[in-house]
Amino acid sequence: MNVRLFLFLTLSFFASLAYAQPRDTLTTEQLLQRRGTAYSALIRPSRYLALDVNHALGGFHRYRFFEGDEIHFKAGGKKYREQLYDVTDSTFTVLMANEVMNRDEPVTFRFTDIQRFYLHRRIPFVTAAGSLFPIAGGVYLIADIVNQQGFYANTLPVVGTLLGSGILFHLISNPRVKLNKNHRLKVLRTY
């Protein structure tokens, strides 16, 4: 029994040595770039777009958008979901696809032209429930109709609760911020 345990431990030790191959170490800049746009902005001083939101219930919160981040906003009655290309003192530039020329072209927007900002937050369980609860409500309604060969009114409260809570969770995860005196766009710098 002890010989088997010793043999198992010896083999597992040598197996772990086989996988511990030396690798090239990454520089600090490479590690920060690998983490994402917010971390790569720490490499060199740059400007970024800040959306300051002052909710009545939630209080103040600042959302930061760095070059390379995808932003979703409404300007001039049209919705845009594009990658942030550049930020200046009073404008920001996004890259938009030009299908005629078959390339991306920069389009600049002034802060005064922006009407709404659409945020996409990942809240554990709430974001998932925002899409799963309405589906569960529909499946529950269909299953009830199929199983009982008819429609009964006692299933409506359950289905309505699932649909209503799914819509509420979706709105919490994906708020639409209308720019006004409480919700402003600013340009800040990293140092």
Side-chain angles (χ1 to χ4, degrees), residues 6-52:
F6 177 73
L7 184 62
F8 175 73
L9 290 175
T10 305
L11 287 175
S12 60
F13 175 72
F14 286 117
S16 67
L17 288 179
Y19 288 111
Q21 298 294 323
R23 294 183 183 168
D24 292 335
T25 57
L26 298 176
T27 63
T28 305
E29 289 83 12
Q30 291 171 333
L31 287 172
L32 289 173
Q33 285 176 346
R34 191 178 276 186
R35 294 287 306 259
T37 57
Y39 292 98
S40 64
L42 297 173
I43 297 172
R44 57 178 166 65
S46 63
R47 293 185 179 132
Y48 65 93
L49 193 63
L51 176 63
D52 291 339

Side-chain angles (χ1 to χ4, degrees), residues 80-114:
Y80 299 95
R81 187 180 200 139
E82 304 294 335
Q83 183 178 4
L84 185 62
Y85 180 67
D86 188 30
V87 178
T88 62
D89 289 335
S90 62
T91 63
F92 65 91
T93 305
V94 296
L95 287 179
M96 295 181 65
N98 185 350
E99 295 177 8
V100 175
M101 300 296 286
N102 197 18
R103 64 178 179 196
D104 290 338
E105 292 185 350
V107 178
T108 303
F109 293 94
R110 299 185 69 72
F111 291 164
T112 56
D113 298 339
I114 307 301

Side-chain angles (χ1 to χ4, degrees), residues 113-151:
D113 298 339
I114 307 301
Q115 299 162 348
R116 287 184 188 269
F117 240 87
Y118 301 98
L119 302 173
H120 303 286
R121 299 184 295 183
R122 302 293 303 166
I123 304 170
F125 304 111
V126 174
T127 304
S131 58
L132 292 178
F133 279 9
I135 295 170
V139 169
Y140 184 78
L141 180 66
I142 292 170
D144 191 53
I145 291 172
V146 169
N147 286 338
Q148 296 183 9
Q149 284 84 25
F151 178 74

Side-chain angles (χ1 to χ4, degrees), residues 53-65:
V53 179
N54 193 9
H55 294 291
L57 295 177
F60 177 80
H61 193 79
R62 175 171 285 164
Y63 298 97
R64 294 168 178 88
F65 303 99

Side-chain angles (χ1 to χ4, degrees), residues 63-82:
Y63 298 97
R64 294 168 178 88
F65 303 99
F66 296 92
E67 292 177 7
D69 287 345
E70 184 179 82
I71 57 174
H72 192 186
F73 61 96
K74 182 177 182 181
K78 294 171 95 178
K79 289 184 181 178
Y80 299 95
R81 187 180 200 139
E82 304 294 335

